[in-house]
Amino acid sequence: MELRKVWGNRPLIIVCVGVLIQDEIGRILLQRRGDDGLWGEPGGALDPGEDFLTAARRELLEETGLVCPDLHLLPIAEGLQGGPEFFSIYPNGHEVYIVGMRAQGTLAASALDHAAPDDSGETLELRWFALDDLPPISKNVNRLSLSLLRGRVGLPPLPLEPTPPAPPTGNHLGDLRKLVGHRPLHAPGSNVLVTDKQGRLLLLRHGGTGKWTVPGGSLEPGETFEACARRELFEETGLSAATLEPLEMLCGPDYRFTYLHGDVVDNVSVLYRAQGVSGELIPQEGEVLEVGWFGVDELPPDEELSGALIRDNLRIWKRGQSV
């Protein structure tokens, strides 16, 4: 809401988590929303520095008063959210593109007898629904989550609301910075692991930090995480990948990063492994100072890497090399 004071109704990328709770017979817990009176899954936006599972537990408690002991994040192939179909206009006129993850858990049907939503007005009613007998559903983000569950039991997907074309690629994060200064902002984006025929990893020395990183960057409104990975890989290196395999979503307080000029970001990043790489390696002028190929035992020390996010990207790569 603070951003809206300076940004207006224009599209913002909002990092969110959806919470899918089912009972012992597979019914889904839905809330009737206070903003539009329609039904959807519990969930909401991450607070600064928050990880997805912590946010899922918090949102579930706030919106239902319930605690789910087995709540967990879905695997990235099912849990990842983002793209043009995740566009929404709220009743107050605010436009958003939702990106993030889904969490799932189970509760006994009787748990609803003890539900106690907070007094924010976000939840008007809570009920269990069979997946083949759903009420009017609010927004595509909820329709897509329910279609995921329906697909598991052989039901067709729910129809989606029409969405406008995604805005042209620009510099969304940079445009926000001009209005809000150095304050922490979520920076959803993608990073890419690229290896050569000798199995060495491609690293780039970044012009803004002087540190080593992997190809990657920030998401634009309406862009999928994979499309972001492809775009950033090509922009920074001139390379293209036949396929990009999502490995892990990295998010939380460990991944806050402060740039030399003072900007603070909370990284929310999907790490991809590139396969079938082609093209000529041409470093992006100004953005990339140097490129290098590194074996497992040749990687730069941690202090020469661009923060915890990149250190964990490399640890994930090394782990894969040892399997």
Side-chain angles (χ1 to χ4, degrees), residues 134-180:
L134 295 170
I137 300 299
S138 173
K139 301 182 178 61
N140 284 346
V141 62
N142 298 294
R143 294 169 183 239
L144 288 160
S145 290
L146 291 168
S147 292
L148 171 69
L149 298 181
R150 283 166 60 92
R152 291 179 180 175
V153 294
L155 294 171
L158 298 177
L160 298 181
E161 298 173 341
T163 55
T169 299
N171 186 356
H172 181 70
L173 193 59
D175 292 340
L176 280 174
R177 281 287 176 214
K178 295 173 185 176
L179 298 175
V180 304

Side-chain angles (χ1 to χ4, degrees), residues 190-203:
S190 303
N191 289 106
V192 187
L193 301 175
V194 178
T195 53
D196 64 8
K197 294 180 180 179
Q198 287 76 46
R200 299 175 300 174
L201 182 67
L202 175 63
L203 296 182

